[in-house]
PDB file of all heavy atoms in Angstrom:
ATOM      1  N   GLU B  40     -11.392  -4.327   2.354  1.00  0.00           N
ATOM      2  CA  GLU B  40     -10.423  -5.382   2.070  1.00  0.00           C
ATOM      3  C   GLU B  40      -9.061  -4.876   1.982  1.00  0.00           C
ATOM      4  O   GLU B  40      -8.784  -3.500   1.970  1.00  0.00           O
ATOM      5  CB  GLU B  40     -10.812  -6.103   0.819  1.00  0.00           C
ATOM      6  CG  GLU B  40     -12.106  -6.771   0.691  1.00  0.00           C
ATOM      7  CD  GLU B  40     -12.397  -7.431  -0.446  1.00  0.00           C
ATOM      8  OE1 GLU B  40     -11.568  -7.623  -1.390  1.00  0.00           O
ATOM      9  OE2 GLU B  40     -13.655  -7.895  -0.603  1.00  0.00           O
ATOM     10  N   ALA B  41      -8.124  -5.707   1.785  1.00  0.00           N
ATOM     11  CA  ALA B  41      -6.686  -5.143   1.749  1.00  0.00           C
ATOM     12  C   ALA B  41      -6.415  -4.812   0.333  1.00  0.00           C
ATOM     13  O   ALA B  41      -7.060  -5.376  -0.608  1.00  0.00           O
ATOM     14  CB  ALA B  41      -5.714  -6.174   2.234  1.00  0.00           C
ATOM     15  N   PRO B  42      -5.406  -3.924   0.047  1.00  0.00           N
ATOM     16  CA  PRO B  42      -4.962  -3.676  -1.370  1.00  0.00           C
ATOM     17  C   PRO B  42      -4.540  -4.984  -2.013  1.00  0.00           C
ATOM     18  O   PRO B  42      -3.829  -5.698  -1.365  1.00  0.00           O
ATOM     19  CB  PRO B  42      -3.868  -2.669  -1.170  1.00  0.00           C
ATOM     20  CG  PRO B  42      -4.118  -2.061   0.038  1.00  0.00           C
ATOM     21  CD  PRO B  42      -4.633  -3.125   0.962  1.00  0.00           C
ATOM     22  N   VAL B  43      -4.745  -5.054  -3.292  1.00  0.00           N
ATOM     23  CA  VAL B  43      -4.411  -6.321  -3.939  1.00  0.00           C
ATOM     24  C   VAL B  43      -3.447  -5.809  -5.226  1.00  0.00           C
ATOM     25  O   VAL B  43      -3.750  -4.874  -6.032  1.00  0.00           O
ATOM     26  CB  VAL B  43      -5.568  -7.103  -4.665  1.00  0.00           C
ATOM     27  CG1 VAL B  43      -5.046  -8.167  -5.500  1.00  0.00           C
ATOM     28  CG2 VAL B  43      -6.269  -7.770  -3.455  1.00  0.00           C
ATOM     29  N   PHE B  44      -2.316  -6.471  -5.311  1.00  0.00           N
ATOM     30  CA  PHE B  44      -1.387  -6.135  -6.417  1.00  0.00           C
ATOM     31  C   PHE B  44      -1.859  -6.429  -7.714  1.00  0.00           C
ATOM     32  O   PHE B  44      -2.505  -7.520  -7.995  1.00  0.00           O
ATOM     33  CB  PHE B  44      -0.118  -6.876  -6.111  1.00  0.00           C
ATOM     34  CG  PHE B  44       0.991  -6.707  -7.230  1.00  0.00           C
ATOM     35  CD1 PHE B  44       1.681  -5.560  -7.305  1.00  0.00           C
ATOM     36  CD2 PHE B  44       1.322  -7.742  -8.039  1.00  0.00           C
ATOM     37  CE1 PHE B  44       2.558  -5.424  -8.353  1.00  0.00           C
ATOM     38  CE2 PHE B  44       2.180  -7.687  -9.025  1.00  0.00           C
ATOM     39  CZ  PHE B  44       2.988  -6.581  -9.115  1.00  0.00           C
ATOM     40  N   LEU B  45      -1.785  -5.447  -8.614  1.00  0.00           N
ATOM     41  CA  LEU B  45      -2.325  -5.668 -10.087  1.00  0.00           C
ATOM     42  C   LEU B  45      -1.139  -5.968 -11.002  1.00  0.00           C
ATOM     43  O   LEU B  45      -1.072  -6.859 -11.721  1.00  0.00           O
ATOM     44  CB  LEU B  45      -3.004  -4.401 -10.510  1.00  0.00           C
ATOM     45  CG  LEU B  45      -4.462  -4.058  -9.913  1.00  0.00           C
ATOM     46  CD1 LEU B  45      -4.952  -2.888 -10.303  1.00  0.00           C
ATOM     47  CD2 LEU B  45      -5.317  -5.275 -10.042  1.00  0.00           C
ATOM     48  N   MET B  46      -0.185  -5.037 -11.031  1.00  0.00           N
ATOM     49  CA  MET B  46       0.939  -5.134 -11.839  1.00  0.00           C
ATOM     50  C   MET B  46       2.108  -4.152 -11.503  1.00  0.00           C
ATOM     51  O   MET B  46       1.954  -3.380 -10.796  1.00  0.00           O
ATOM     52  CB  MET B  46       0.523  -4.903 -13.342  1.00  0.00           C
ATOM     53  CG  MET B  46       0.178  -3.445 -13.585  1.00  0.00           C
ATOM     54  SD  MET B  46      -0.512  -3.352 -15.393  1.00  0.00           S
ATOM     55  CE  MET B  46      -2.229  -3.980 -15.155  1.00  0.00           C
ATOM     56  N   ILE B  47       3.288  -4.548 -12.062  1.00  0.00           N
ATOM     57  CA  ILE B  47       4.498  -3.743 -11.824  1.00  0.00           C
ATOM     58  C   ILE B  47       5.048  -3.267 -13.184  1.00  0.00           C
ATOM     59  O   ILE B  47       5.063  -4.141 -14.102  1.00  0.00           O
ATOM     60  CB  ILE B  47       5.444  -4.417 -10.999  1.00  0.00           C
ATOM     61  CG1 ILE B  47       6.664  -3.574 -10.772  1.00  0.00           C
ATOM     62  CG2 ILE B  47       5.883  -5.782 -11.551  1.00  0.00           C
ATOM     63  CD1 ILE B  47       7.698  -4.100  -9.749  1.00  0.00           C
ATOM     64  N   LEU B  48       5.574  -2.175 -13.352  1.00  0.00           N
ATOM     65  CA  LEU B  48       6.187  -1.655 -14.489  1.00  0.00           C
ATOM     66  C   LEU B  48       7.569  -1.332 -14.132  1.00  0.00           C
ATOM     67  O   LEU B  48       7.722  -0.425 -13.202  1.00  0.00           O
ATOM     68  CB  LEU B  48       5.478  -0.449 -15.226  1.00  0.00           C
ATOM     69  CG  LEU B  48       4.132  -0.808 -15.666  1.00  0.00           C
ATOM     70  CD1 LEU B  48       3.078  -0.233 -14.675  1.00  0.00           C
ATOM     71  CD2 LEU B  48       3.829  -0.329 -17.053  1.00  0.00           C
ATOM     72  N   LEU B  49       8.514  -1.896 -14.804  1.00  0.00           N
ATOM     73  CA  LEU B  49       9.912  -1.743 -14.327  1.00  0.00           C
ATOM     74  C   LEU B  49      10.800  -0.660 -15.055  1.00  0.00           C
ATOM     75  O   LEU B  49      11.772  -0.220 -14.570  1.00  0.00           O
ATOM     76  CB  LEU B  49      10.606  -2.996 -14.273  1.00  0.00           C
ATOM     77  CG  LEU B  49      10.195  -4.063 -13.297  1.00  0.00           C
ATOM     78  CD1 LEU B  49      10.722  -5.354 -13.401  1.00  0.00           C
ATOM     79  CD2 LEU B  49      10.560  -3.547 -11.943  1.00  0.00           C
ATOM     80  N   LYS B  50      10.402  -0.353 -16.232  1.00  0.00           N
ATOM     81  CA  LYS B  50      11.140   0.687 -16.968  1.00  0.00           C
ATOM     82  C   LYS B  50      10.316   1.551 -17.811  1.00  0.00           C
ATOM     83  O   LYS B  50       9.277   1.068 -18.295  1.00  0.00           O
ATOM     84  CB  LYS B  50      12.298  -0.015 -17.722  1.00  0.00           C
ATOM     85  CG  LYS B  50      11.767  -1.139 -18.697  1.00  0.00           C
ATOM     86  CD  LYS B  50      13.012  -1.704 -19.408  1.00  0.00           C
ATOM     87  CE  LYS B  50      12.632  -2.623 -20.508  1.00  0.00           C
ATOM     88  NZ  LYS B  50      12.299  -4.052 -19.949  1.00  0.00           N
ATOM     89  N   GLY B  51      10.948   2.708 -18.149  1.00  0.00           N
ATOM     90  CA  GLY B  51      10.255   3.603 -18.947  1.00  0.00           C
ATOM     91  C   GLY B  51       9.762   2.954 -20.296  1.00  0.00           C
ATOM     92  O   GLY B  51      10.620   2.278 -20.918  1.00  0.00           O
ATOM     93  N   GLY B  52       8.602   3.342 -20.682  1.00  0.00           N
ATOM     94  CA  GLY B  52       8.049   2.806 -21.962  1.00  0.00           C
ATOM     95  C   GLY B  52       7.367   1.548 -21.867  1.00  0.00           C
ATOM     96  O   GLY B  52       6.721   1.108 -22.848  1.00  0.00           O
ATOM     97  N   GLU B  53       7.486   0.969 -20.679  1.00  0.00           N
ATOM     98  CA  GLU B  53       6.879  -0.399 -20.557  1.00  0.00           C
ATOM     99  C   GLU B  53       5.525  -0.298 -20.471  1.00  0.00           C
ATOM    100  O   GLU B  53       4.961   0.594 -19.835  1.00  0.00           O
ATOM    101  CB  GLU B  53       7.367  -1.180 -19.346  1.00  0.00           C
ATOM    102  CG  GLU B  53       6.974  -2.497 -19.096  1.00  0.00           C
ATOM    103  CD  GLU B  53       7.717  -3.249 -17.966  1.00  0.00           C
ATOM    104  OE1 GLU B  53       8.249  -2.635 -17.211  1.00  0.00           O
ATOM    105  OE2 GLU B  53       7.444  -4.562 -17.953  1.00  0.00           O
ATOM    106  N   GLN B  54       4.821  -1.226 -21.032  1.00  0.00           N
ATOM    107  CA  GLN B  54       3.356  -1.271 -20.966  1.00  0.00           C
ATOM    108  C   GLN B  54       2.924  -2.764 -20.604  1.00  0.00           C
ATOM    109  O   GLN B  54       3.590  -3.652 -21.159  1.00  0.00           O
ATOM    110  CB  GLN B  54       2.595  -0.820 -22.318  1.00  0.00           C
ATOM    111  CG  GLN B  54       2.806   0.591 -22.622  1.00  0.00           C
ATOM    112  CD  GLN B  54       1.952   0.999 -23.749  1.00  0.00           C
ATOM    113  OE1 GLN B  54       0.937   0.562 -23.991  1.00  0.00           O
ATOM    114  NE2 GLN B  54       2.450   2.008 -24.447  1.00  0.00           N
ATOM    115  N   LYS B  55       1.940  -2.810 -19.897  1.00  0.00           N
ATOM    116  CA  LYS B  55       1.583  -4.243 -19.426  1.00  0.00           C
ATOM    117  C   LYS B  55       0.151  -4.199 -19.373  1.00  0.00           C
ATOM    118  O   LYS B  55      -0.586  -3.229 -19.260  1.00  0.00           O
ATOM    119  CB  LYS B  55       2.103  -4.629 -17.982  1.00  0.00           C
ATOM    120  CG  LYS B  55       3.438  -5.179 -18.028  1.00  0.00           C
ATOM    121  CD  LYS B  55       3.803  -5.716 -16.692  1.00  0.00           C
ATOM    122  CE  LYS B  55       5.068  -6.351 -16.567  1.00  0.00           C
ATOM    123  NZ  LYS B  55       5.503  -6.800 -15.276  1.00  0.00           N
ATOM    124  N   GLY B  56      -0.500  -5.455 -19.301  1.00  0.00           N
ATOM    125  CA  GLY B  56      -1.948  -5.562 -19.080  1.00  0.00           C
ATOM    126  C   GLY B  56      -2.290  -7.015 -18.951  1.00  0.00           C
ATOM    127  O   GLY B  56      -1.665  -7.930 -19.391  1.00  0.00           O
ATOM    128  N   HIS B  57      -3.524  -7.132 -18.211  1.00  0.00           N
ATOM    129  CA  HIS B  57      -4.124  -8.455 -18.285  1.00  0.00           C
ATOM    130  C   HIS B  57      -5.658  -8.191 -18.230  1.00  0.00           C
ATOM    131  O   HIS B  57      -6.129  -7.306 -17.625  1.00  0.00           O
ATOM    132  CB  HIS B  57      -3.661  -9.380 -17.065  1.00  0.00           C
ATOM    133  CG  HIS B  57      -3.871  -8.662 -15.776  1.00  0.00           C
ATOM    134  ND1 HIS B  57      -5.022  -8.860 -15.170  1.00  0.00           N
ATOM    135  CD2 HIS B  57      -3.018  -8.057 -14.943  1.00  0.00           C
ATOM    136  CE1 HIS B  57      -4.980  -8.324 -13.828  1.00  0.00           C
ATOM    137  NE2 HIS B  57      -3.765  -7.789 -13.838  1.00  0.00           N
TER     138      HIS B  57
END
Side-chain angles (χ1 to χ4, degrees):
Chain B
E40 299 179 11
V43 173
F44 175 71
L45 294 175
M46 65 186 80
I47 181 174
L48 298 103
L49 288 173
K50 54 181 186 280
E53 183 173 14
Q54 296 191 23
K55 268 193 180 175
H57 58 86

